[in-house]
């Protein structure tokens, strides 16, 4: 097995292009795959606040005119559009984000930011709307951002061993944090984030949430972004 570490959007691209057999990919790409198999009991999910996927703004929702969409994750883009359409009832201009889009979040222009870059933004903007928390308010369900997906059938022996390996990782988060260097946030905060904010088990509620989200993507022509 060869392991490649990429941002979510690149993981998705490689799986779609057949460059890899298995990837931890944003669930928004599932309808684009000719064939897909969810092969693991684990995922990247949240049951409430996830803290690392949010819409940041200097004004409340009803005053937002533009939203920059983080290019790192298709799922987060689809999720914020769903929330805008079905829950917040706002119709902003959707703008394609570039590498320095965070600096453009000001006035009535908001932005979706995900991942490590969010850890030190809590005091930068007046409003933060946690997308997983907003989804739960809307649906009563947890949310699945990414899961392990294969673009072909894999052997049951491999899947069993793969799940065992993932379980070792999930069961030893504290040890991983302890061995990590060059952190953007204190280890105590990272430990809380990985143990409390992220929920790794792809249980029945998350499977229901996943199917609900995929159904939305299929029925909705997701809004195109302006360049």
């Amino acid at each position: 097995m060869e392991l490649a570490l990429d941002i979510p959007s690149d993981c998705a691209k490689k799986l779609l292009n057949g460059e890899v057999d298995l990837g931890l990919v944003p669930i928004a790409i599932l309808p684009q795959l000719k064939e897909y198999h969810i092969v693991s009991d684990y995922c990247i999910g949240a049951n409430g606040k996830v803290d690392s996927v949010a819409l940041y703004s200097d004004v409340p929702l009803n005053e937002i005119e533009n939203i920059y969409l983080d290019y790192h994750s298709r799922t987060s883009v689809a999720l914020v559009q769903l929330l805008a359409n079905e829950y917040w009832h706002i119709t902003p201009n959707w703008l394609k984000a570039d590498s320095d889009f965070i600096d453009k979040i000001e006035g009535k222009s908001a932005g979706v930011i995900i991942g490590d870059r969010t850890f030190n933004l809590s005091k930068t903007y007046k409003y933060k709307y946690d997308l997983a928390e907003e989804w739960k308010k809307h649906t009563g369900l947890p949310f699945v951002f990414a899961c392990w997906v294969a673009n072909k059938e894999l052997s049951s022996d491999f899947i069993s061993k793969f799940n065992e390996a993932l379980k070792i990782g999930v069961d030893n988060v504290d040890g991983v944090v302890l061995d990590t260097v060059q952190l953007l946030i204190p280890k105590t905060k990272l430990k809380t984030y990985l143990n409390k904010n992220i929920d790794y088990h792809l249980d029945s509620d998350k499977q229901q949430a996943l199917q609900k989200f995929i159904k939305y993507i299929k029925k909705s022509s997701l809004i195109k972004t302006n360049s």
Side-chain angles (χ1 to χ4, degrees), residues 53-73:
V53 181
L55 175 67
Y56 292 88
S57 175
D58 284 332
V59 297
L61 287 168
N62 64 328
E63 295 181 22
I64 293 174
E65 294 181 355
N66 306 300
I67 294 181
Y68 287 96
L69 299 172
D70 195 323
Y71 54 92
H72 280 194
S73 172

Side-chain angles (χ1 to χ4, degrees), residues 196-213:
K196 303 294 183 183
N197 296 103
I198 301 295
D199 193 329
Y200 304 95
H201 298 281
L202 190 58
D203 56 22
S204 59
D205 283 347
K206 289 197 191 66
Q207 290 173 5
Q208 182 184 347
L210 189 153
Q211 293 305 320
K212 185 178 184 69
F213 186 65

Side-chain angles (χ1 to χ4, degrees), residues 50-211:
V50 69
D51 202 36
S52 58
V53 181
L55 175 67
Y56 292 88
S57 175
D58 284 332
V59 297
L61 287 168
N62 64 328
E63 295 181 22
I64 293 174
E65 294 181 355
N66 306 300
I67 294 181
Y68 287 96
L69 299 172
D70 195 323
Y71 54 92
H72 280 194
S73 172
R74 301 183 187 200
T75 297
S76 302
V77 167
L79 177 55
V80 74
Q81 292 179 344
L82 180 154
L83 291 169
N85 294 337
E86 296 189 353
Y87 185 49
W88 300 332
H89 303 295
I90 60 174
T91 55
N93 298 311
W94 301 103
L95 303 178
K96 186 177 181 180
D98 52 27
S99 58
D100 63 349
F101 79 98
I102 294 178
D103 296 332
K104 299 176 183 177
I105 299 174
E106 59 182 1
K108 294 187 176 183
S109 292
V112 175
I113 307 175
I114 74 164
D116 295 352
R117 294 171 297 170
T118 65
F119 289 146
N120 297 310
L121 289 177
S122 57
K123 296 181 181 179
T124 305
Y125 303 101
K126 188 173 181 180
Y127 295 91
K128 175 183 178 181
Y129 300 95
D130 188 295
L131 298 192
E133 182 181 34
E134 295 293 304
W135 164 268
K136 184 156 189 182
K137 289 178 186 176
H138 178 46
T139 65
L141 294 168
F143 191 75
V144 179
F145 287 97
C147 56
W148 288 99
V149 177
N151 51 18
K152 62 189 68 177
E153 284 196 45
L154 302 178
S155 72
S156 57
D157 181 58
F158 172 84
I159 293 173
S160 177
K161 291 178 180 177
F162 186 65
N163 265 315
E164 289 175 12
L166 293 177
K167 185 178 186 303
I168 292 171
V170 170
D171 289 347
N172 289 278
V173 168
D174 289 355
V176 172
V177 172
L178 193 64
D179 291 339
T180 303
V181 295
Q182 296 181 339
L183 294 175
L184 295 175
I185 60 174
K187 289 188 177 183
T188 52
K189 184 175 180 180
L190 180 60
K191 192 182 294 185
T192 299
Y193 169 71
L194 294 175
N195 282 311
K196 303 294 183 183
N197 296 103
I198 301 295
D199 193 329
Y200 304 95
H201 298 281
L202 190 58
D203 56 22
S204 59
D205 283 347
K206 289 197 191 66
Q207 290 173 5
Q208 182 184 347
L210 189 153
Q211 293 305 320

Side-chain angles (χ1 to χ4, degrees), residues 209-221:
L210 189 153
Q211 293 305 320
K212 185 178 184 69
F213 186 65
I214 294 301
K215 185 178 179 180
Y216 168 80
I217 294 174
K218 286 182 176 179
K219 77 175 182 180
S220 168
S221 54

